[in-house]
Amino acid sequence: MHIIMFKKILSATLATLLVSWSLAGAALEVGDKAPDFKLQASDGKTYQLSDLIGRQAVVIAWYPFAFTSGCTIECKSLAENGHLLKRLEVAYFMASVDPVEKNREFAEEYEADFPLLSDPTKQAARDYEVLSLGMYAKRHTFYIGKDGNILFIDRDVRPAQSAQDMAAKLEELGVPARAAS
């Protein structure tokens, strides 16, 4: 008798979960409005997406953890080849769920001359659907247009080629060069 009751409860629970997941909405995709965020960065500033759009494109390169091998390689790529991105009308960031102090140390160690965003509450990572196992961000890069819409999502990031790949994708997406000053 208990086994039959358990099977009914289990069946009802699974049905409820399936309905909940289907009602949760579709995954973020190209053309969707990028979720707004307001996050502290390694440079001591706070950045909010809604303050950045309208003036330039935005790239957010989510990464799992500071000071791990792939993340270090990606940070070095952006630090050493940032000139490829600085010539375009784009604000670019790396972002993780690490505390801002850890990202500040990471940025200093690898001479990152761009902001590393910290999302210790993991809310922005949830909003961007990159939070994995509730612990860290997946290595996905979001390209956001001046209008605030997602232009491209790279779910197959090559850390060693990150800066070159970003610059090439931004050019392919029609992001213009910065005006000479």
Side-chain angles (χ1 to χ4, degrees):
M1 185 62 128
H2 291 336
I3 292 175
I4 294 171
M5 184 64 84
F6 176 74
K7 285 183 178 180
K8 286 182 180 180
I9 292 171
L10 182 60
S11 179
T13 302
L14 288 174
T16 302
L17 284 173
L18 288 174
V19 169
S20 296
W21 287 334
S22 67
L23 295 176
L28 282 177
E29 55 188 61
V30 171
D32 288 347
K33 194 65 141 175
D36 199 9
F37 61 79
K38 186 174 185 178
L39 299 172
Q40 287 187 302
S42 56
D43 62 4
K45 297 178 184 175
T46 298
Y47 293 88
Q48 186 161 356
L49 180 63
S50 56
D51 291 341
L52 298 167
I53 57 175
R55 299 183 313 219
Q56 60 196 334
V58 176
V59 175
I60 306 165
W62 287 94
Y63 65 98
F65 294 111
F67 296 105
T68 56
S69 63
C71 302
T72 298
I73 290 167
E74 186 172 13
C75 187
K76 284 180 171 182
S77 172
L78 291 168
E80 293 169 3
N81 299 293
H83 63 280
L84 300 172
L85 298 164
K86 287 180 175 43
R87 63 183 177 78
L88 301 170
E89 287 185 14
V90 65
Y92 64 99
F93 307 89
M94 287 181 70
S96 74
V97 298
D98 291 317
V100 71
E101 299 81 23
K102 188 169 185 180
N103 275 342
R104 189 174 297 123
E105 292 169 12
F106 188 48
E108 287 173 11
E109 176 80 19
Y110 296 104
E111 300 177 1
D113 60 349
F114 58 92
L116 278 65
L117 302 175
S118 293
D119 179 26
T121 68
K122 302 176 180 151
Q123 187 57 55
R126 278 187 207 89
D127 293 346
Y128 277 82
E129 300 172 354
V130 297
L131 190 62
S132 185
L133 303 173
M135 296 173 43
Y136 62 92
K138 297 174 192 171
R139 188 181 313 283
H140 291 171
T141 300
F142 288 78
Y143 296 75
I144 302 165
K146 289 170 85 169
D147 61 358
N149 292 330
I150 297 171
L151 300 173
F152 183 74
I153 303 170
D154 185 353
R155 292 183 173 96
D156 191 25
V157 176
R158 301 179 308 166
Q161 293 292 121
S162 195
Q164 294 90 330
D165 290 347
M166 281 183 196
K169 180 53 74 176
L170 288 164
E171 289 172 356
E172 178 185 317
L173 293 169
V175 173
R178 291 193 188 277
S181 49

